[in-house]
């Protein structure tokens, strides 16, 4: 792909560079996205699986679904898009990934400067005493609801619809968006807030916005440039250009 001189020169001269990521960056690893023809929300109902009331009503069903996703995710590997972002940590003074993904693949690719605003699917916590569990088994035959030593039910430590993102994580995002000079917006449809409004905040503070997505999105209108294609292909090409 050809990149504009403006994109490359702005990127090379930026010290604070960031990336807001969504499910699309993991698509090439084999993790299904949420929206679109093949999306999870076509087959499953978020109101039955991704909110606290649904969990209290039917924790077995919610755990069955999370165990299925944990197993799927444990069997896949990061793709060249994740590795390219991980490499960018070494190319800029400050490079931060803000991800909506709970799939652990940025960490697996070696990224360290990372804010997982929707949590991490491998982490769980007791709804009564908040004790955290990182190593619950997730084989298909585990369909019982895990219980904490205190007797409380354990839940996946992810942010469900209607729940707030932990305040310390949000503060870290907003502080970064104030300083950010260049922001990639990768593989997100831009329907879920607050992530969908992060690019606008960065832009108001002077950042150059570049969207990487296989199609135009709900937030494409905010962008300075849109690169249509898959992130697993485009991101390594960008890294190749700025390393020279
Ligand atoms: P979506 O499934 O809504 O959007 C995925 C986006 O990735 C779409 O815009 C696709 O066009 C794009 N895409 C697909 N494959 C791609 C590829 N290989 N390269 C680049 N782009 C690609 O996922 P999110 O925007 O992440 O929240 O969804 C946001 C939140 O909604 C999720 O975190 C989840 C969901 O409900 C919770 O569960 C709280």
């Amino acid at each position: 792909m050809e990149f504009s001189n403006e994109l490359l020169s702005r990127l090379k001269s930026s010290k604070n560079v960031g990336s807001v990521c969504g499910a699309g960056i993991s698509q090439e690893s084999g993790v299904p996205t949420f929206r679109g023809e093949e999306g999870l929300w076509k087959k499953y109902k978020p109101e039955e699986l991704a909110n606290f009331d649904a969990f209290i009503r039917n924790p077995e069903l919610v755990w069955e679904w999370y165990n299925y996703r944990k197993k799927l995710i444990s069997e896949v590997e990061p793709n060249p898009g994740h590795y390219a972002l991980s490499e960018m940590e070494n190319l800029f003074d400050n490079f931060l990934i803000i991800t909506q993904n709970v799939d652990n693949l940025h960490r697996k690719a070696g990224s360290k400067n990372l804010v997982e605003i929707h949590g991490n699917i491998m982490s769980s916590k007791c709804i009564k005493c908040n004790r955290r569990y990182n190593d619950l088994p997730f084989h298909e035959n585990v369909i019982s609801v895990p219980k904490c030593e205190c007797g409380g039910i354990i839940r996946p430590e992810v942010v469900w619809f209607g729940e707030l993102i932990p305040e310390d994580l949000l503060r870290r995002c907003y502080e970064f968006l104030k300083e950010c000079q260049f922001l990639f917006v990768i593989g997100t449809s831009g329907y879920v807030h607050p992530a969908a409004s992060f690019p606008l905040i960065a832009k108001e503070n002077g950042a150059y916005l570049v969207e990487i997505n296989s199609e135009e999105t709900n937030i494409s209108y905010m962008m300075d440039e849109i690169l249509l294609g898959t992130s697993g292909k485009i991101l390594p090409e960008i890294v190749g250009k700025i390393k020279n």
Side-chain angles (χ1 to χ4, degrees):
M1 174 176 278
E2 285 297 308
F3 302 107
S4 71
N5 288 338
E6 171 104 21
L7 186 155
L8 294 174
S9 67
R10 282 200 183 241
L11 186 55
K12 281 182 184 166
S13 63
S14 294
K15 288 188 164 47
N16 296 311
V17 179
S19 171
V20 172
C21 296
I25 192 167
S26 298
Q27 183 266 336
E28 287 156 280
S29 292
V31 182
T33 61
F34 292 94
R35 295 169 187 81
E37 279 313 304
E38 304 288 314
L40 288 170
W41 295 151
K42 270 262 146 76
K43 276 188 265 169
Y44 302 96
K45 295 195 173 88
E47 61 275 19
E48 282 174 10
L49 298 167
N51 77 63
F52 187 73
D53 291 346
F55 178 67
I56 295 299
R57 264 198 315 273
N58 196 345
E60 285 85 5
L61 176 74
V62 174
W63 266 114
E64 196 183 330
W65 193 63
Y66 274 90
N67 283 335
Y68 150 75
R69 285 178 61 207
K70 280 169 89 165
K71 182 164 182 293
L72 188 152
I73 281 163
S74 71
E75 288 165 352
V76 300
E77 295 298 329
N79 66 59
H82 295 107
Y83 287 113
L85 289 187
S86 159
E87 208 177 336
M88 283 192 200
E89 265 183 22
N90 304 321
L91 300 177
F92 301 100
D93 286 4
N94 183 20
F95 183 81
L96 180 71
I97 298 174
I98 299 173
T99 191
Q100 299 168 86
N101 300 345
V102 297
D103 61 23
N104 218 24
L105 290 178
H106 292 293
R107 277 180 205 280
K108 235 176 158 179
S111 287
K112 295 195 174 57
N113 215 6
L114 174 69
V115 190
E116 293 166 308
I117 57 171
H118 290 168
N120 186 312
I121 199 167
M122 294 303 168
S123 178
S124 312
K125 68 174 183 191
C126 171
I127 63 169
K128 205 164 144 200
C129 72
N130 277 326
R131 182 173 163 178
R132 183 169 284 152
Y133 291 82
N134 288 324
D135 50 4
L136 294 179
F138 49 87
H139 311 295
E140 270 149 317
N141 54 358
V142 178
I143 50 165
S144 61
V145 176
K147 290 267 173 60
C148 179
E149 281 170 9
C150 80
I153 310 176
I154 298 174
R155 61 165 282 176
E157 197 173 9
V158 296
V159 174
W160 283 327
F161 287 103
E163 293 185 324
L164 298 175
I165 293 169
E167 212 181 302
D168 54 327
L169 299 189
L170 266 188
R171 195 174 315 121
R172 206 170 152 209
C173 294
Y174 289 127
E175 274 167 13
F176 177 77
L177 294 168
K178 264 195 277 175
E179 308 286 312
C180 169
Q181 293 150 320
F182 192 107
L183 187 70
F184 290 108
V185 183
I186 306 169
T188 180
S189 57
Y191 283 106
V192 175
H193 286 273
S197 54
F198 287 168
L200 204 53
I201 294 171
K203 196 182 174 91
E204 279 166 3
N205 290 312
Y208 196 70
L209 303 186
V210 173
E211 179 170 59
I212 300 177
N213 201 300
S214 36
E215 57 190 39
E216 291 210 3
T217 70
N218 198 35
I219 50 175
S220 292
Y221 73 92
M222 299 175 188
M223 304 296 153
D224 292 297
E225 292 195 36
I226 300 167
L227 306 177
L228 286 180
T230 66
S231 44
K233 186 159 182 300
I234 295 175
L235 284 168
E237 287 178 16
I238 294 178
V239 167
K241 291 274 183 202
I242 52 174
K243 269 190 354 192
N244 297 327

